[in-house]
Amino acid sequence: MGKIIAIANQKGGVGKTTTAINLAASLAVLEYKTLLVDADPQANATSGVGVNSQEVSQGLYECIVKDIHPKDVIKETDTPNLYLLPTTPDLVALELEIVDLPNRNHMMKEALDKVKNDYDFIIIDCCPSLGLTVINSLAAADSVIITLQSEYFALEGMGKLLQTIKLIQENINTNLDIEGVLLTMYDPRLKLANMVVEEVKMHFQNMMFNTIIQRNTKLAEAPSHGKTIIMHDAVGKGSLNYLNLAREILQRNGLTKMTEEERNINPMEFESEFNEE
């Protein structure tokens, strides 16, 4: 049975979607069959892997509200082993449509449970809010990764997010774990960024990932090409950061599906092999 990991933060611009896309791609490169679920009406995760959201007729909304089977809307991506459950603009109306339903908190879980056994990992890109769509995402997830940008006000709003997670753990999804806190957009040249790292370490200690995602031009431009960082800049710093994060998550979950030599795959070799195909 696959593990469902939600990527969450109620603030926008903190590397949440970038992390969802590229963590999913990295797990796929490491030969774990992975499904990326776009649970944000902005559809950035959908376009970020090369799927035109304007051409998507059915997506997560239809799976939740109209009981369409996810298998009927899931799409392959250019990254081997990576699949996408896209979103449509209709998702923006989800909260209004399900707010009065008795099972409103578990409707996404019911949809994803239909395909959970088909994947090693399912990564959910949550929308930047603490509304019913995010509650559904966290109710469906086994764990959550919290992204924090390495900038001033990084911890702003964290108390409310952690309170929401705690309430979900107590009342909706008692099995929900915090996978970890991930620092993003880190520039080691900036004194402020290093101060933020130390402050976050002080607050979260063992919850922090050892991997820190550094600010990187290729990482920022990859979505404009509809590519994951693995396919856009295979040997760059962004690829290596997210591959390291994927390996850290595999280690935390005690997964030894691959040998150490296989885990240390050279992304350039992967890219060359893919291009030859």
Side-chain angles (χ1 to χ4, degrees):
M1 178 175 289
K3 179 167 188 176
I4 301 179
I5 302 176
I7 315 295
N9 195 314
Q10 77 272 30
K11 293 174 64 178
V14 297
K16 177 181 57 58
T17 298
T18 299
T19 293
I21 291 171
N22 294 304
L23 171 59
S26 296
L27 289 167
V29 167
L30 295 173
E31 297 189 0
Y32 288 84
K33 189 178 180 183
T34 304
L35 175 66
L36 174 63
V37 177
D38 192 346
D40 185 345
Q42 297 177 82
N44 290 333
T46 296
S47 60
V49 293
V51 175
N52 187 341
S53 61
Q54 300 301 317
E55 297 177 357
V56 175
S57 59
Q58 294 182 326
L60 181 62
Y61 170 85
E62 285 73 20
C63 294
I64 294 173
V65 175
K66 300 181 179 180
D67 203 29
I68 300 295
H69 199 292
K71 286 183 178 180
D72 294 331
V73 302
I74 288 172
K75 300 179 180 295
E76 294 187 16
T77 74
D78 289 339
T79 303
N81 295 321
L82 178 61
Y83 300 81
L84 172 72
L85 177 48
T87 196
T88 62
D90 291 337
L91 189 67
V92 74
L94 177 66
E95 298 191 10
L96 291 175
E97 295 215 20
I98 69 174
V99 66
D100 294 325
L101 300 179
N103 63 332
R104 61 182 177 273
N105 294 325
H106 297 94
M107 296 183 73
M108 190 184 300
K109 173 178 170 55
E110 292 172 3
L112 295 183
D113 278 350
K114 296 175 182 178
V115 294
K116 188 173 183 179
N117 290 336
D118 298 336
Y119 299 91
D120 297 308
F121 287 95
I122 297 177
I123 306 297
I124 304 175
D125 179 32
C126 298
C127 57
S129 73
L130 292 178
L132 196 51
T133 304
V134 171
I135 291 172
N136 259 263
S137 298
L138 296 179
D142 298 303
S143 66
V144 54
I145 292 175
I146 301 168
T147 55
L148 286 180
Q149 81 278 32
S150 305
E151 297 175 358
Y152 195 60
F153 291 138
L155 297 175
E156 187 182 53
M158 275 296 293
K160 192 171 183 180
L161 175 58
L162 291 172
Q163 183 181 20
T164 299
I165 292 173
K166 183 178 180 181
L167 288 171
I168 290 172
Q169 289 171 325
E170 292 175 348
N171 301 292
I172 298 174
N173 182 1
T174 57
N175 295 317
L176 180 66
D177 293 323
I178 295 180
E179 191 79 28
V181 175
L182 177 68
L183 277 169
T184 63
M185 304 179 183
Y186 172 65
D187 187 339
R189 300 169 298 177
L190 300 180
K191 182 178 179 180
L192 176 61
N194 289 294
M195 290 173 60
V196 169
V197 170
E198 293 306 313
E199 184 179 10
V200 173
K201 283 182 178 179
M202 181 177 67
H203 278 84
F204 296 106
Q205 300 177 4
N206 294 336
M207 289 173 60
M208 276 190 64
F209 285 105
N210 292 324
T211 302
I212 296 178
I213 307 302
Q214 298 186 38
R215 191 176 289 278
N216 180 264
T217 301
K218 293 289 187 181
L219 193 58
E221 71 182 21
S224 68
H225 297 279
K227 293 183 178 181
T228 65
I229 190 60
I230 298 293
M231 305 291 9
H232 181 61
D233 184 33
V235 295
K237 191 174 294 182
S239 290
L240 296 177
N241 283 172
Y242 277 108
L243 283 167
N244 284 337
L245 175 63
R247 293 187 182 105
E248 192 171 347
I249 288 172
L250 293 174
Q251 184 178 21
R252 288 188 177 199
N253 286 275
L255 294 175
T256 56
K257 174 179 172 181
M258 301 172 64
T259 66
E260 191 62 30
E261 182 179 354
E262 288 172 323
R263 284 196 206 286
N264 290 329
I265 181 173
N266 183 329
M268 177 59 84
E269 292 177 359
F270 170 80
E271 185 183 56
S272 300
E273 181 179 313
F274 176 79
N275 288 336
E276 288 173 3
E277 294 176 356

